[in-house]
């Protein structure tokens, strides 16, 4: 089945540790996105990528890093510089066609130990 | 900067009744897209319906329809014949045709009472 797969579903981070969230899509979508969701809030854009080997900062990029080495994959690293990483993280993708919506994965819940 | 406002943090509806969720947005653009996403307790974001700003006709998808008022910058979602499975958080979202950024409102929690 075509879709967006995020792993793991739950992730725990120790103080000072970097962790990486995986996002893989087999929809042949060009653009991929990472969002953060906090309780009672809408989604906020962390990073996005429109093409392989290129990505742009969103509204809350500090403390996060990404890579886009393959079209299918857009991993997000939450670094130790992100002081409040506890949140729900959603990955999305869409085709280049201008009127197409973003489709989302099932999310990863990150918590601090 | 574009903003999206959902003024109803929570709404409730009786099963089989109709409910309307409100959304307003602020933009100086003329070409943009609007979306309603549903987030059930499983937390997956599911696209419910979308509207292209240049289309005057309101979008419909089965029991879901929108009232798009471009001059008023309003984009409300109407759910007809509400079902228990409609219970979820509903998010309104905006994207300029010139941008990849999807701007979300803070959501409305919909409860469906049997």
């Amino acid at each position: 089945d075509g879709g967006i797969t995020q792993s793991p579903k739950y992730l725990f981070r120790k103080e000072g540790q970097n962790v990486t969230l995986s996002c893989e899509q087999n929809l042949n979508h060009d653009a991929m996105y990472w969002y953060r969701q906090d309780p009672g809030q809408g989604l906020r854009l962390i990073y996005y990528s429109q093409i392989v080997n290129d990505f742009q900062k969103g509204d809350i990029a500090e403390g996060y890093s990404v890579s886009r080495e393959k079209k299918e994959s857009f991993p997000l690293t939450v670094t130790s510089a992100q002081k409040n990483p506890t949140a729900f993280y959603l990955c999305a993708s869409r085709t280049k066609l201008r009127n197409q919506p973003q489709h989302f994965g099932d999310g990863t819940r990150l918590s601090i130990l | 900067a574009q903003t999206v406002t959902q003024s109803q943090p929570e709404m409730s509806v009786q099963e089989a009744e109709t409910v309307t969720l409100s959304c307003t947005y602020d933009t100086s653009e003329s070409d943009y897209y609007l979306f309603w996403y549903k987030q059930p307790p499983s937390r997956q974001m599911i696209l419910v319906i979308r509207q292209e700003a240049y289309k005057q006709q309101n979008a419909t998808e089965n029991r879901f329809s929108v009232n798009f008022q471009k001059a008023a910058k309003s984009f409300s979602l109407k759910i007809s014949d509400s079902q228990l499975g409609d219970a979820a958080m509903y998010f309104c979202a905006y994207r300029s045709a010139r941008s990849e950024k999807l701007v979300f409102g803070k959501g409305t929690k919909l409860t469906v009472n049997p």
Side-chain angles (χ1 to χ4, degrees):
Chain A
D1 283 351
I4 302 167
T5 302
Q6 289 188 242
S7 62
K9 195 172 179 67
Y10 300 97
L11 186 59
F12 298 91
R13 193 191 91 168
K14 294 179 181 178
E15 293 288 340
Q17 186 182 44
N18 294 351
V19 292
T20 297
L21 285 60
S22 170
C23 179
E24 304 275 335
Q25 54 97 1
N26 61 4
L27 301 167
N28 199 33
H29 284 174
D30 304 287
M32 297 186 74
Y33 313 79
W34 275 105
Y35 293 91
R36 170 179 171 140
Q37 186 178 26
D38 293 286
Q41 300 290 323
L43 278 64
R44 292 183 291 166
L45 183 64
I46 305 172
Y47 268 99
Y48 66 100
S49 167
Q50 299 181 72
I51 196 170
V52 173
N53 292 325
D54 188 42
F55 47 83
Q56 287 78 41
K57 292 182 180 179
D59 298 319
I60 55 165
E62 185 174 351
Y64 300 96
S65 66
V66 293
S67 63
R68 186 90 184 274
E69 298 177 1
K70 298 186 302 181
K71 187 176 184 178
E72 303 79 17
S73 178
F74 192 42
L76 173 74
T77 296
V78 184
T79 74
S80 57
Q82 173 49 248
K83 297 307 179 188
N84 184 23
T86 297
F88 188 63
Y89 291 86
L90 282 157
C91 177
S93 69
R94 77 176 200 100
T95 83
K96 252 188 214 177
L97 296 175
R98 58 179 255 131
N99 65 346
Q100 292 302 302
Q102 294 180 19
H103 298 273
F104 287 81
D106 289 344
T108 292
R109 175 71 184 175
L110 175 62
S111 301
I112 293 289
L113 281 177
Chain B
Q2 292 92 357
T3 58
V4 175
T5 302
Q6 294 179 248
S7 60
Q8 307 151 316
E10 297 189 26
M11 291 282 285
S12 63
V13 63
Q14 291 297 123
E15 197 175 1
E17 297 291 307
T18 296
V19 64
T20 299
L21 308 184
S22 300
C23 173
T24 59
Y25 56 95
D26 184 25
T27 184
S28 57
E29 307 272 345
S30 59
D31 191 8
Y32 52 86
Y33 308 98
L34 296 162
F35 308 89
W36 278 99
Y37 283 90
K38 169 185 177 181
Q39 188 178 43
S42 65
R43 304 202 71 176
Q44 186 183 16
M45 292 291 281
I46 302 165
L47 179 67
V48 174
I49 199 166
R50 58 179 169 162
Q51 177 80 40
E52 293 158 72
Y54 63 85
K55 289 187 177 179
Q56 292 188 344
Q57 187 172 9
N58 288 326
T60 62
E61 288 286 344
N62 301 314
R63 297 183 295 107
F64 298 87
S65 61
V66 298
N67 183 6
F68 173 48
Q69 301 288 329
K70 191 171 183 179
K73 296 180 183 174
S74 171
F75 183 61
S76 59
L77 174 69
K78 185 171 84 171
I79 306 173
S80 304
D81 185 27
S82 297
Q83 300 175 0
L84 295 177
D86 295 333
M89 286 291 291
Y90 285 82
F91 292 95
C92 179
Y94 162 99
R95 181 172 70 83
S96 165
R98 299 191 297 121
S99 172
E100 285 296 320
K101 293 186 178 183
L102 195 55
V103 180
F104 285 85
K106 293 189 175 182
T108 295
K109 182 180 180 180
L110 178 66
T111 301
V112 181
N113 299 311

